[in-house]
Amino acid sequence: MRRFLGILLCISLLCIPVRGAAAEKYVALTFDDGPSGRFTRRLLEGLEARGVKATFLLCGYRLKDYPETAEAIYRAGHEIGLHGYSHRDMGKMTRAQAAKEISDTAALLPEGCRTVFLRPPGGSCGEALRQAARDAGLALLNWSVDPRDWANHNAAAVEAAVVQTVRDGDIILLHDMCDCSVDAALAIVDRLSAQGFRFVTVSELAQVRGVTPEPGVVYSRFRE
């Protein structure tokens, strides 16, 4: 009996690290509407100092204005996705119009950059857009945490809105269009890192959860 109990104890001890690994918390930061020059550069510096990778959903008309910033995002190892060319409502577009928004934006990406996700502005999505995304081999990306940093220019309030609601597997929507959003993003990284969250790109988050994003399918989180 003692030998049997000893074996059970050893087995239980071996299982402890496995349970700990399974409980690890992951979250993905995403940034819409860029690139935007100095704001994006400052954000990149802050993320690099913290060893964090994020996902940037870029607009074609801004890629045209800031190609060197897009190159910096790519060279830093962050994930890049598409946010349409004009930032118009893609959910109301025809299939051909949506396809042109996608192709015109993709043509401006850094050389060698391959994209997995399209985030339509405002998350607006109709069947025509799903078909266009499917044709382009892109999954559609929404979000599960939105602190509305584009409207609320109070960094502390944006930080609190995220920290109070975020859960393992969430995708956080932010922007890199003003200093207060950058301040909030870096504060969020510091607060959540202290709580044991690990920051990954959206594609990495999907991989952790055993999901292969499918073209034309909408994703907003990757939870256990």
Side-chain angles (χ1 to χ4, degrees):
M1 176 61 74
R2 288 182 178 176
R3 182 178 180 184
F4 177 71
L5 291 174
I7 292 172
L8 286 179
L9 178 60
C10 290
I11 292 173
S12 66
L13 290 173
L14 287 172
C15 289
I16 290 174
V18 175
R19 286 199 298 269
E24 196 158 23
K25 297 180 292 186
Y26 294 88
V27 67
L29 282 177
T30 65
F31 296 93
D32 283 9
D33 295 358
S36 56
R38 73 174 184 88
F39 302 118
T40 304
R41 289 194 298 272
R42 182 172 164 244
L43 176 62
L44 291 175
E45 291 170 0
L47 293 176
E48 182 179 11
R50 291 160 174 80
V52 165
K53 302 302 182 188
T55 300
F56 290 78
L57 292 309
L58 305 182
C59 289
Y61 80 97
R62 298 195 69 83
L63 278 164
K64 190 175 179 181
D65 289 340
Y66 297 104
E68 71 289 345
T69 310
E71 185 73 25
I73 295 171
Y74 179 59
R75 295 303 174 196
H78 299 285
E79 181 173 25
I80 291 178
L82 306 184
H83 197 44
Y85 188 92
S86 63
H87 205 267
R88 292 190 296 114
D89 188 342
M90 296 183 75
K92 295 180 180 179
M93 294 181 182
T94 65
R95 186 173 179 176
Q97 289 171 332
K100 189 174 190 319
E101 287 264 331
I102 292 170
S103 61
D104 286 354
T105 307
L108 296 171
L109 293 176
E111 184 177 355
C113 178
R114 299 185 63 183
T115 56
V116 176
F117 295 103
L118 164 68
R119 173 175 283 165
S124 177
C125 184
E127 182 56 32
L129 177 58
R130 280 191 286 269
Q131 292 174 352
R134 192 178 304 119
D135 294 342
L138 297 172
L140 292 156
L141 181 64
N142 279 348
W143 55 86
S144 51
V145 178
D146 178 10
R148 292 172 57 83
D149 64 311
W150 58 271
N152 184 357
H153 297 290
N154 182 321
V158 171
E159 174 194 347
V162 172
V163 172
Q164 292 169 8
T165 59
V166 72
R167 293 170 54 192
D168 172 49
D170 274 337
I171 296 171
I172 302 170
L173 170 62
L174 292 167
H175 300 76
D176 52 332
M177 301 292 289
C178 63
D179 282 317
C180 57
S181 287
V182 174
D183 291 341
L186 299 179
I188 288 165
V189 170
D190 293 340
R191 287 279 299 279
L192 293 185
S193 295
Q195 295 179 17
F197 282 89
R198 288 187 59 185
F199 288 88
V200 292
T201 68
V202 176
S203 286
E204 289 170 339
L205 182 56
Q207 184 177 22
V208 165
R209 296 292 142 82
V211 177
T212 301
E214 298 181 23
V217 176
V218 180
Y219 300 90
S220 60
R221 61 175 66 86
F222 295 97
R223 291 181 178 156
E224 286 284 9

